Amino acid sequence: MKIQLILLVITCIIAEVFSSCALILDEHEEECAKTNKLSQDKVMELYNIRYSSADAPIINSYVECVWEKWGFLNGNVINYDAIRKNNKISLVNLAGICDDSPYGPANAFIESVNQCEREAPSHVRAETIRSCIAQRFRERSSPSQPVAK
């Protein structure tokens, strides 16, 4: 029994080490972060917490800058097809999503983008959609939460 417990603890430690999530900014993100006076750590923090109204214009500007450079935003129009077809930008960079969860359907990202597109008001900001995609993805990846279709 003791050996099984020790093996379980070791397995958990190894899983935690290999499932850590880090945001590493690409050249577009670095440029936009510099323009908005954001560090890599601050971007990840803003992606994953409820930020203050004082931080809202900064994260809005940052996401719009990056999404324009990635081709996800043209003026004020979000290109949902480009987001869905993306295979170069990690979920961490795109939405602050650490995709190391063993749960959820394989197409959780696409379904999340589709749901956010369907529910978006006509004049929506890129940060609102980024946040929506992250939230819907997390809901779909959680083993205990039902997801609206």
Side-chain angles (χ1 to χ4, degrees):
M1 183 67 170
K2 228 179 190 182
I3 284 257
Q4 290 171 334
L5 181 59
I6 292 171
L7 288 175
L8 179 62
V9 169
I10 291 171
T11 302
C12 289
I13 290 170
I14 291 171
E16 181 66 27
V17 167
F18 287 107
S19 68
S20 63
C21 177
L23 174 67
I24 300 172
L25 302 179
D26 68 17
E27 66 276 2
H28 301 304
E29 292 168 297
E30 284 181 13
E31 183 181 329
C32 295
K34 184 177 180 182
T35 301
N36 289 284
K37 298 181 174 90
L38 293 171
S39 68
Q40 186 169 279
D41 291 339
K42 185 66 174 179
V43 171
M44 190 65 165
E45 178 185 321
L46 292 171
Y47 272 3
N48 286 290
I49 63 164
R50 287 207 155 163
Y51 44 82
S52 69
S53 58
D55 286 331
I58 297 166
I59 190 68
N60 280 324
S61 176
Y62 170 77
V63 172
E64 288 167 3
C65 176
V66 172
W67 279 30
E68 282 180 2
K69 292 178 183 301
W70 285 341
F72 297 164
L73 184 66
N74 185 6
N76 290 328
V77 179
I78 295 172
N79 185 342
Y80 292 96
D81 286 334
I83 297 170
R84 278 188 284 270
K85 292 176 183 174
N86 167 58
N87 62 3
K88 295 179 182 172
I89 302 159
S90 76
L91 292 177
V92 175
N93 292 66
L94 187 125
I97 299 168
C98 296
D99 186 21
D100 56 5
S101 171
Y103 305 107
N107 58 347
F109 177 73
I110 301 294
E111 290 175 1
S112 298
V113 173
N114 291 343
Q115 182 178 356
C116 293
E117 181 180 18
R118 277 192 314 273
E119 296 173 355
S122 59
H123 298 290
V124 68
R125 298 196 74 161
E127 165 53 15
T128 303
I129 296 304
R130 184 217 57 84
S131 178
C132 177
I133 292 168
Q135 180 180 350
R136 299 298 174 248
F137 183 88
R138 286 182 186 109
E139 289 169 359
R140 283 179 167 77
S141 298
S142 173
S144 62
Q145 297 202 10
V147 177
K149 301 273 180 179

